[in-house]
Amino acid sequence: MKIAVAKGDGIGPEIMSAVLKIFDANKVPLEYEMVDMGKWVFDKGFSNGMTPEAQQTIERLGILFKGPMETPKGKGVKSVNVTARKTWNTYANKRVFQTLHGVDTVFSKAGIPIDITVVRENIEDTYGGIEHMLTHDVALSRRFITRPGSMQVIRYAFAMARQKNARRITCGHKANIMKITDGLFLECFYEVAKEYPELKADDIIVDDLCMKLVTRPDTFDVVVLTNLQGDIVSDLCAGLVGGLGFAPSANIGDHICIFEAVHGTAPDIAGKNIANPTALLLSGFAMLRHLGLTENAAIIENALLYTLEQGVHTGDFGDKNKPSLNTTEFADAIISNFGKMPQLNAKELLANKPGTPTPLKLEKNTMLESKEIENEKIIGVDMFIESNEQPDVIAKKCQRHAGVKFNLVNISNRGTQVWPTGSVYTNLVNQYNVRFESIDTYPLNQQDVIGLYVSLSGDFKICSLELLNMWGEKKSYSSAAGQ
């Protein structure tokens, strides 16, 4: 099988060479096509951090194995890591965090074993990077959570949990505050949970999750979260097992998958041959198992675990009374331990059942859309306006524009109601949300909203607007604090 390999920036080429050396020594049946990605590709003028030839190769082969990559700062370009995941719809980011003998942490010293799998939604949320300055004082970031996108990652998480014989799957969320976005994600979680009655499915607010992870991490098994929350919790879990140097990452899609080290490029030690290749090697195990090369993965992982148990280490971890090895020496130590079994967490030697990573050739973009069960109707609009006037002054102006189809029902500032009731102790910024609803909730059309927009624009700069929709009798918009 052929896979695409991008060595990465900084320490990337060194740790990738070490991992591929280990694979070759174990006669892993893979061929590698090197592709051009990373900071130096940005510097050549490719705004997505990869050459067109690299993109074509990855789409042809279906598997990308990549080292850490740097995104140039201050040049207005997106992270190549995020771009790659989103371009190829690798919707599930899977990271496995396990106690490694020889990597001392407060939990390993206390005899508390950790085996947590975090599944993070990989495409949506604030990682869309859709931001605007509404006024010179007010910035807006749009957060997209979709039903199809949530169902993709949650179905993957449940299927993976069943496969690994998990005892528990937990949804981390902030639906107590973001009732519509996180509420939709949580709703999808329990919808899928009905299909897996043998799994204990529960949910937890994400701040409570973080507190419990650092006090009793052994009580968690599989955790699934939205993108930003999953990003934060993933790094928290990495800290529980020794840091990002021991954190593998698999980005799973229907057609293309990416396996990578998620730690930084460490330019301060680049070229010194002292970097720790463990995280990339652990990501390589996930790739080998994904490709059906389970025996190769088990032999190499057992050798790694045995090596760690012997106290062998690079300079970033381990017993400082024992001399550390450089990157090449660490790889050689693992190779020399092929066939040896660790005392803890030995992996079963299952025969290879190689599949093919080659994706289907797609002719058009896939449209993800669920069935609309109830009819949609527009019952109002939120107009986001720029003004430094007081709420009652704004209200009098807005009421003049309401006409015969709209009622002015609420004015809020930074999410807090300031009209018709409010407090003079509420600090204001120069951007308000003015909410109009239909008289007697009579359904409106977009032409009605445009007419209000045109009229209102005579008094205010309108920064943006959002329709107030209902499906059946369910309101699909939030209320202001204090409303």
Side-chain angles (χ1 to χ4, degrees), residues 79 86 115 316 322 384 447 462 483:
S79 160
K86 290 169 69 66
D115 186 357
D316 58 320
K322 292 185 177 182
F384 296 86
Q447 286 75 16
I462 301 174
Q483 184 176 355

CSV table of all heavy atoms in Angstrom, one decimal, residues 79 86 115 316 322 384 447 462 483:
chain,number,residue,atom,x,y,z
A,79,SER,N,-4.2,27.9,9.5
A,79,SER,CA,-3.4,26.8,9.9
A,79,SER,C,-3.5,25.7,8.9
A,79,SER,O,-4.5,25.3,8.5
A,79,SER,CB,-3.8,26.3,11.3
A,79,SER,OG,-3.3,25.0,11.5
A,86,LYS,N,-10.2,20.1,7.5
A,86,LYS,CA,-11.5,20.6,6.9
A,86,LYS,C,-11.6,20.3,5.5
A,86,LYS,O,-12.7,20.0,5.0
A,86,LYS,CB,-11.6,22.1,7.2
A,86,LYS,CG,-11.8,22.4,8.7
A,86,LYS,CD,-11.6,23.9,9.0
A,86,LYS,CE,-12.8,24.7,8.4
A,86,LYS,NZ,-14.1,24.4,9.0
A,115,ASP,N,-6.7,5.6,30.9
A,115,ASP,CA,-7.0,5.1,29.5
A,115,ASP,C,-8.2,5.8,29.0
A,115,ASP,O,-9.4,5.3,29.1
A,115,ASP,CB,-7.2,3.6,29.5
A,115,ASP,CG,-7.3,3.0,28.1
A,115,ASP,OD1,-7.3,3.8,27.1
A,115,ASP,OD2,-7.5,1.8,27.9
A,316,ASP,N,13.6,14.8,27.1
A,316,ASP,CA,12.5,15.5,27.6
A,316,ASP,C,11.7,14.8,28.7
A,316,ASP,O,10.7,15.3,29.3
A,316,ASP,CB,11.5,15.8,26.5
A,316,ASP,CG,11.0,14.6,25.7
A,316,ASP,OD1,11.8,13.7,25.5
A,316,ASP,OD2,9.8,14.5,25.4
A,322,LYS,N,19.7,8.6,34.6
A,322,LYS,CA,20.1,7.8,33.5
A,322,LYS,C,20.3,8.6,32.3
A,322,LYS,O,19.6,9.6,32.0
A,322,LYS,CB,19.0,6.7,33.2
A,322,LYS,CG,18.8,5.7,34.3
A,322,LYS,CD,17.8,4.6,33.8
A,322,LYS,CE,17.7,3.5,34.9
A,322,LYS,NZ,16.7,2.5,34.4
A,384,PHE,N,-28.8,43.7,14.3
A,384,PHE,CA,-27.6,44.1,15.1
A,384,PHE,C,-27.1,45.4,14.6
A,384,PHE,O,-26.7,45.6,13.4
A,384,PHE,CB,-26.5,43.0,15.0
A,384,PHE,CG,-26.9,41.7,15.5
A,384,PHE,CD1,-27.6,40.8,14.8
A,384,PHE,CD2,-26.6,41.4,16.9
A,384,PHE,CE1,-27.9,39.6,15.3
A,384,PHE,CE2,-27.0,40.2,17.4
A,384,PHE,CZ,-27.6,39.3,16.6
A,447,GLN,N,-39.1,39.3,2.2
A,447,GLN,CA,-39.3,40.7,1.7
A,447,GLN,C,-39.8,41.6,2.8
A,447,GLN,O,-39.4,42.8,2.9
A,447,GLN,CB,-40.4,40.6,0.6
A,447,GLN,CG,-39.9,40.1,-0.7
A,447,GLN,CD,-39.8,38.6,-0.7
A,447,GLN,OE1,-40.3,37.9,0.2
A,447,GLN,NE2,-39.1,38.0,-1.7
A,462,ILE,N,-26.7,49.0,10.1
A,462,ILE,CA,-27.0,47.7,10.5
A,462,ILE,C,-25.8,46.8,10.2
A,462,ILE,O,-25.4,46.6,9.1
A,462,ILE,CB,-28.3,47.2,9.7
A,462,ILE,CG1,-29.4,48.2,10.0
A,462,ILE,CG2,-28.6,45.8,10.1
A,462,ILE,CD1,-30.7,47.9,9.2
A,483,GLN,N,-34.3,38.6,30.0
A,483,GLN,CA,-35.5,38.8,29.1
A,483,GLN,C,-36.7,38.0,29.7
A,483,GLN,O,-36.5,36.9,30.1
A,483,GLN,CB,-35.3,38.4,27.7
A,483,GLN,CG,-36.4,38.6,26.8
A,483,GLN,CD,-36.1,38.2,25.3
A,483,GLN,OE1,-35.0,37.9,25.0
A,483,GLN,NE2,-37.1,38.3,24.5
